[in-house]
Amino acid sequence: MATDTATDAGTGSTNEPLHVDGEAHLDEVVAENGVVLVDFYADWCGPCQMLEPVVETLAAETDATVAKVDVDANQQLAQSYGVRGVPTLVLFADGEQVEEVVGLQGEEQLRSLVGRYTE
């Protein structure tokens, strides 16, 4: 599952989540894409594992770019966004943070959230 999709950054919406490493990388992804859904997760987190197929589906089926941030590997980044629990999903539109959702969410809820900014 450790696919390196960093080379896809900036090419518009990709069909699979981008794995972000560091604040500069996240800033670049947000700056170069219109709508970005960022999944702050941890490998040991059960709800995060349950959310993963939903996040992958949203990456494949919506116009949003989906980014994943491992909070254990990127503690400073998670802290700078005030992430206190995982999963935390942060939505950016036109470079600005517009939504934040904490905890396990259903696919339809997230699809609707993304749809408000991509349609």
Side-chain angles (χ1 to χ4, degrees):
M1 181 69 227
T3 56
D4 180 22
T5 56
T7 56
D8 294 335
T11 59
S13 178
T14 60
N15 288 337
E16 57 186 56
L18 298 170
H19 289 268
V20 171
D21 188 32
E23 190 157 1
H25 188 199
L26 180 59
D27 290 346
E28 178 184 319
V29 170
V30 168
E32 294 179 358
N33 297 279
V35 176
V36 180
L37 179 65
V38 182
D39 174 18
F40 287 91
Y41 75 99
D43 289 333
W44 47 263
C45 164
C48 299
Q49 293 168 7
M50 293 168 58
L51 186 63
E52 188 164 350
V54 172
V55 169
E56 290 174 352
T57 298
L58 292 173
E61 297 179 1
T62 68
D63 290 332
T65 296
V66 177
K68 293 181 66 72
V69 176
D70 181 339
V71 296
D72 291 328
N74 294 280
Q75 292 180 5
Q76 277 301 118
L77 180 57
Q79 187 176 5
S80 71
Y81 280 93
V83 174
R84 295 202 166 142
V86 284
T88 293
L89 298 161
V90 178
L91 187 67
F92 294 87
D94 300 321
E96 299 294 322
Q97 181 177 338
V98 292
E99 302 277 353
E100 181 178 323
V101 182
V102 179
L104 184 60
Q105 304 294 313
E107 181 179 335
E108 288 308 311
Q109 292 167 292
L110 292 174
R111 190 179 291 273
S112 172
L113 184 71
V114 168
R116 282 187 241 159
Y117 297 94
T118 57
E119 294 172 356

